Amino acid sequence: MPVTLNHIAKQGEHGPAMMPIIQGVGRAAVEIAALLRGAVFRGALGAAGAENVQGEQQQKLDVLSDEIFLDEMRSTGDVCAVGSEEQEELLVIEEYANADYLILVDPLDGSSNLDVDGPVGTIFSVVKRKTANTETPLASDTLQSGRDVIAAGYVLYGPATMLVCSVGQGVHGYTWNPASARFELSHADMKIPASGGYYSVNEANAGKWLNQMGDRLQRMKAATGLGMRYVGAMVADMHRTLLKGGIFLYPADEKNTNGKLRLLYEAIPMGFLMEQAGGKAMSDGQPVLDVQPEALHQRVPVYLGSASAVDTLLG
Ligand code: P6P
């Protein structure tokens, strides 16, 4: 009998409460996957004509995916607010403002790949509110380090649609089965290989990296002999790193002096998964999960992967 997302309810202290939320993520994933497949016929590719809070060109599919995700989180009844890459402020779900959990989400990560039919993803993490349930949730409820994350995961929209997640009891991968119309466990207890794999970075930025990261990378390449793969969508690059080993990095540079990737809904969820899978997740000078968030859209440098590769790079 295939194992489905219901299995999450059996995973430790947080499993029962997280199952309905992750099932909501699964519903959103199915809707977003269908949206992506038919986008070209609906004129849904291309820019939405606005910039997001990051100053990046919003794609039409960014906006549509954000709406789908919010609706499915609302439908769980367990989420009081959503912090989204596509929304400048915290979005309170008024009818459930007394619920226990907040979601941080990048609804459609890597959307610059959409026009070339490349892989994209959704990245999420779940935290428990700090404010009383009788109050309205606040942005400060989201500013919790990765050590306080209850659950995290990603959806990869590739040849298959995969939902990879953890509630603190290891990392498990579920693949959408069109025959049964449900996510089924396909990658139980995922562990990152201790060696091998690839290094994954946008080396075009090497001349601008701070903290001698260019020299460090050259030394790591010479010491490990790793090949290079880079898709340009964090979910795809991180999924390959989790399965094959190696390291994914986005260092700080002269343009992005705090790095490009967002702490709350990219670095922390991916760092949580990486540590759960036996890997290492570093930012500059400390583990990603130890960074104390100060703002919803805060950016950090990241070095995520096999402990040996991360240690060789950072010394
Ligand atoms: P660059 C996508 O825009 C994203 O946020 C991540 O998914 C990806 O890892 C990174 O930016 C790619 O950035 O500068 O290499 O295009």
Side-chain angles (χ1 to χ4, degrees):
M1 184 67 181
V3 175
T4 68
L5 293 178
N6 296 345
H7 175 249
I8 292 168
K10 298 182 172 61
Q11 294 177 20
E13 173 194 358
H14 298 300
M18 291 300 102
M19 183 190 73
I21 291 176
I22 296 175
Q23 286 178 326
V25 173
R27 291 193 299 274
V30 172
E31 293 169 54
I32 292 170
L35 176 70
L36 298 177
R37 275 195 299 275
V40 70
F41 302 113
R42 298 177 46 190
L45 290 178
E51 283 189 351
N52 62 17
V53 64
Q54 329 287 339
E56 296 164 347
Q57 271 302 317
Q58 266 185 326
Q59 301 298 303
K60 293 173 189 170
L61 290 169
D62 284 321
V63 177
L64 295 169
S65 301
D66 190 44
E67 291 167 359
I68 289 169
F69 195 87
L70 178 61
D71 284 348
E72 288 302 346
M73 289 302 100
R74 176 182 291 112
S75 75
T76 68
D78 294 322
V79 175
C80 62
V82 176
S84 168
E85 182 191 53
E86 300 307 327
Q87 303 288 342
E88 184 158 5
E89 308 296 336
L90 183 70
L91 265 174
V92 175
I93 299 178
E94 296 300 344
E95 57 268 54
Y96 297 110
N98 64 339
D100 288 336
Y101 298 103
L102 294 91
I103 306 287
L104 289 307
V105 64
D106 182 354
L108 201 59
D109 174 69
S111 51
S112 57
N113 275 353
L114 289 168
D115 289 352
V116 296
D117 200 26
V120 291
T122 297
I123 312 171
F124 70 94
S125 70
V126 185
V127 294
K128 190 160 188 174
R129 68 188 299 168
K130 297 290 189 187
T131 50
N133 295 68
T134 50
E135 298 172 15
T136 299
L138 302 172
S140 57
D141 279 311
T142 66
L143 304 181
Q144 300 183 44
S145 82
R147 301 298 175 199
D148 291 328
V149 159
I150 305 285
Y154 59 79
V155 179
L156 175 58
Y157 305 100
T161 299
M162 273 200 76
L163 196 166
V164 176
C165 62
S166 174
V167 296
Q169 302 288 313
V171 178
H172 307 282
Y174 303 82
T175 299
W176 176 253
N177 182 345
S180 60
R182 63 190 178 187
F183 281 96
E184 296 177 0
L185 185 66
S186 54
H187 297 66
D189 198 20
M190 299 173 78
K191 295 293 182 191
I192 187 169
S195 61
Y198 301 92
Y199 75 94
S200 185
V201 64
N202 184 342
E203 273 188 284
N205 297 330
K208 299 182 292 182
W209 288 338
L210 307 182
N211 310 320
Q212 296 79 45
M213 198 50 67
D215 295 340
R216 290 178 180 277
L217 183 68
Q218 292 314 314
R219 287 197 294 271
M220 187 215 72
K221 287 161 65 173
T224 62
L226 291 180
M228 195 280 272
R229 291 284 187 279
Y230 191 70
V231 175
M234 188 184 194
V235 171
D237 284 319
M238 282 302 300
H239 187 65
R240 183 199 54 251
T241 303
L242 181 56
L243 286 172
K244 302 294 184 185
I247 183 171
F248 169 83
L249 57 150
Y250 207 108
D253 62 40
E254 293 161 5
K255 179 184 169 210
N256 296 302
T257 54
N258 292 311
K260 176 181 182 183
L261 300 181
R262 275 57 54 133
L263 174 60
L264 285 180
Y265 41 80
E266 290 175 317
I268 283 177
M270 289 301 188
F272 182 80
L273 293 174
M274 194 47 72
E275 288 201 359
Q276 284 288 319
K280 198 158 187 177
M282 292 297 290
S283 186
D284 279 351
Q286 61 181 321
V288 166
L289 301 191
D290 289 345
V291 177
Q292 179 51 50
E294 295 169 357
L296 184 58
H297 301 294
Q298 176 178 346
R299 298 170 189 261
V300 290
V302 293
Y303 315 92
L304 311 170
S306 307
S308 59
V310 173
D311 290 342
T312 302
L313 176 74
L314 299 181

